[in-house]
Amino acid sequence: MNARTPEVLAPTVKLLIGGRFVESSTTEWRNVVNPATQEVLARVPFATPAEIDAAVAAAQEAFKTWRKTAIGARARIFLKYQQLIRENMQELAALLTAEQGKTLADAEGDVFRGLEVVEHAAGIGNLQLGELANNVAGGVDTYTLLQPLGVCAGITPFNFPAMIPLWMFPMAIACGNTFVLKPSEQDPMVTMRLCELALQAGIPPGVLNVVHGGEAAVNALCDHPDIKAVSFVGSTRVGTHVYNRATAAGKRAQCMMGAKNHAIVMPDANKEQTLNALAGAAFGAAGQRCMALSVAVLVGEAQQWVPDLVAKARTLKVGAGHEKGVDVGPLVSCAAYERVTGLIERGVADGATLELDGRQPQVPGYEQGNFVGPTIFSGVKPGMAIYEQEIFGPVLCLAAAAHIDEAIALINANPNGNGTAIFTQSGAAARRFQEDIDVGQIGINVPIPVPVPMFSFTGSRASKLGDLGPYGKQVVLFYTQTKTVTARWFDDETVSHGVNTTISLR
C-alpha cells in the first residue's frame, strides 16, 4: 500500500437500541470475513456492558406499552414483515452468502424457513388463546390468560443467521414481549438487515434491540435481572453454559444444541432417491447444519451401496456460494476449516476407511477459501473421534448393521437426540423405527426432518435443554405466563351461605 494512502476500514455493524441503529463505543472489534475470499466485509463491535444495559432498559421501557397493544395490531405488523422479507429475498440471500458461504439457493432456503415462522407469528390471534370452563361450581367460572413475560433474549449461531433469529424474536414479540437479540459475531449482517425490515414493518422503538459480542455478552444477558427468558441455538458446550447460568438466575431457558444425526438405510429403500437424499443432507451447507446427516447406518445388503454413494458425492460441485451450479460452499472460517480437516486426519488414524477425500479441492480463483469437498468414511464405529464428535463439515460416516434392531440400538446409544431418519419401503419397518427410536425429530424417507412452524422443533436428550421448543404452539407457552382466574359475581339477591372454611367451592 502507498504510504500516503490511508487504510480504508471496513464498514461497522451497528447496535440497535431503542429503535435507533447506533455506533458502539467499544474498543473490541471482530472482522466479518467472506469465507470464500477472506475479504473483510465489515467490523462487528463487542458491545460494552453499558450498551447491553441500555438495550435491556429500552426493552423494559417499551414493554410497558407493547404488552397492552391489541393482538390484532401485533399480528398486522408481522403480516407486513413477511411481505417485506419476500420483496427483499434476493438481497438477503446475497448478504447471507457473502458472509456465511452458503450457496444462493441454500441461503434463500435459510431465509424462507425463517419467513415461515414470521407467517405463523401473524396468526398470533389464534395461538395465544386461553381456556374457559363455565360453572365449575355454583356461579363460578375458571379461565386462563396467556400473558407476556417481559424482556426476552435470544442468542443465535453462525450457521443459520436468518432462520434462527426469525425463529426467536417474531414469536416472542407477537406474544407481547420485548426482545434483545445477540446474533453470531461471525455473520451478523443479514440479521441486521432483517431487523431493519422489522422496524420498517412497524415494530415500535425498543421492542426489538440488538447487541453484539462474545462470551461476555452472552453472560450479561443470562445474568441481567430484567430479562425473563433466554432462547439459545448453538453448540452443546455453550448451550449447557447458557442453560445453567440463565436458570440459576431464575430465568426460563430453552437451548437447542449439538447433534449427531443418523439415518438407517434398509435394503428395500428406493436406491436413487435414497442416494440423492443422503448426499444432499450430508453435504449441503458444507455440513454446517445441526440437522445435517452425519452418520448413515447401512443395513444388510445396503452395505453394497458404498461405491454408488461415493459416485453420487463426486457429482457435487465445490465453489463460492454466489456462483451458479455450486452445491457445496466454503466452511465459515479458517478455524472451522482447521477443525474439520483435523478430524478427517483423525478418522484415518482411528482406522476408518477414507472412501472419498474432500480435502484441498481445486476451486480456481478462490485459492484462499475455506473449502472442503464431500468426504466419506466407511467402517466407522463408536469410539472413533469422527463418530463421537459433531464434525460440522461435509463429512459422512458410514456404519454397518446386520438388521434394523442393531441399527436402532446404535442410534439410541448415542447421547444426542436431535434428528434421525429411515429409508425404506416397508411400512412395518418405518413404524417400528418411529416407535422405538429415542430421538426428537424423525424422518421417514425424509433426510432433514425439521418440522414446519405449525409444529415445534423437538430435539431431545443431550441435543436439547428445556421443556419447550423454539417455535410452534410450544413457544407460545414459553413466551407467556399462564394465569388461572377463578371468578364468581354476586348480585344483591344472591343468598349467602355463610362462612366456608373448607377448600371446596359451593
Side-chain angles (χ1 to χ4, degrees), residues 341-354 377 380 384-386:
T341 54
L343 279 167
I344 294 172
E345 292 176 8
R346 182 72 181 275
V348 174
D350 285 349
T353 301
L354 186 58
F377 281 99
V380 176
M384 294 181 176
I386 55 173

Side-chain angles (χ1 to χ4, degrees), residues 134-353:
N134 185 240
N135 281 325
V136 296
V140 176
D141 303 327
T142 298
Y143 52 94
T144 60
L145 308 174
L146 300 182
Q147 296 188 327
L149 300 175
V151 182
C152 301
I155 301 161
T156 62
F158 76 84
N159 58 328
F160 284 96
M163 182 182 78
I164 304 298
L166 292 176
W167 279 9
M168 292 184 184
F169 73 79
M171 291 303 299
I173 290 171
C175 287
N177 301 287
T178 55
F179 207 82
V180 180
L181 176 67
K182 194 212 82 67
S184 170
E185 65 275 20
Q186 296 190 72
D187 47 11
M189 295 166 61
V190 71
T191 309
M192 296 308 295
R193 181 64 180 128
L194 285 166
C195 292
E196 290 176 4
L197 295 176
L199 297 192
Q200 187 178 336
I203 289 180
V207 172
L208 173 62
N209 305 271
V210 183
V211 296
H212 305 287
E215 183 178 359
V218 170
N219 290 342
L221 295 176
C222 291
D223 296 343
H224 202 290
D226 291 332
I227 290 177
K228 305 302 182 185
V230 177
S231 182
F232 170 89
V233 176
S235 72
T236 296
R237 180 186 65 81
V238 179
T240 302
H241 171 79
V242 166
Y243 185 83
N244 291 338
R245 190 153 187 155
T247 53
K251 307 181 194 313
R252 295 186 182 185
Q254 56 173 211
C255 297
M256 308 298 126
M257 306 184 298
K260 197 69 178 179
N261 304 313
H262 296 65
I264 295 176
V265 180
M266 299 298 291
D268 67 344
N270 182 301
K271 188 173 184 179
E272 184 63 19
Q273 294 294 336
T274 300
L275 293 175
N276 286 334
L278 294 177
F283 308 126
Q288 297 174 121
R289 296 172 176 147
C290 67
M291 291 297 292
L293 177 62
S294 54
V295 181
V297 186
L298 307 180
V299 177
E301 295 179 0
Q303 294 169 38
Q304 300 173 14
W305 294 11
V306 175
D308 303 286
L309 183 54
V310 170
K312 181 68 68 174
R314 289 187 187 277
T315 67
L316 301 180
K317 181 180 178 180
V318 180
H322 66 274
E323 293 194 329
K324 291 184 178 180
V326 169
D327 302 295
V328 182
L331 296 168
V332 70
S333 67
C334 294
Y337 175 86
E338 294 297 331
R339 183 176 186 278
V340 171
T341 54
L343 279 167
I344 294 172
E345 292 176 8
R346 182 72 181 275
V348 174
D350 285 349
T353 301

Side-chain angles (χ1 to χ4, degrees), residues 93-170:
L95 265 177
L96 200 160
T97 293
E99 62 180 343
Q100 202 276 342
K102 292 184 181 184
T103 66
L104 283 171
D106 197 28
E108 285 197 16
D110 188 330
V111 178
F112 182 78
R113 290 309 302 266
L115 171 62
E116 290 182 315
V117 178
V118 176
E119 293 172 338
H120 198 57
I124 192 63
N126 290 321
L127 298 173
Q128 199 173 347
L129 296 176
E131 300 172 313
L132 181 139
N134 185 240
N135 281 325
V136 296
V140 176
D141 303 327
T142 298
Y143 52 94
T144 60
L145 308 174
L146 300 182
Q147 296 188 327
L149 300 175
V151 182
C152 301
I155 301 161
T156 62
F158 76 84
N159 58 328
F160 284 96
M163 182 182 78
I164 304 298
L166 292 176
W167 279 9
M168 292 184 184
F169 73 79

Side-chain angles (χ1 to χ4, degrees), residues 20 59 76 84 118 165 175 209 249 281 313 415 436 456:
R20 296 175 54 244
R76 284 190 287 275
L84 290 172
V118 176
C175 287
N209 305 271
D436 292 348
S456 191

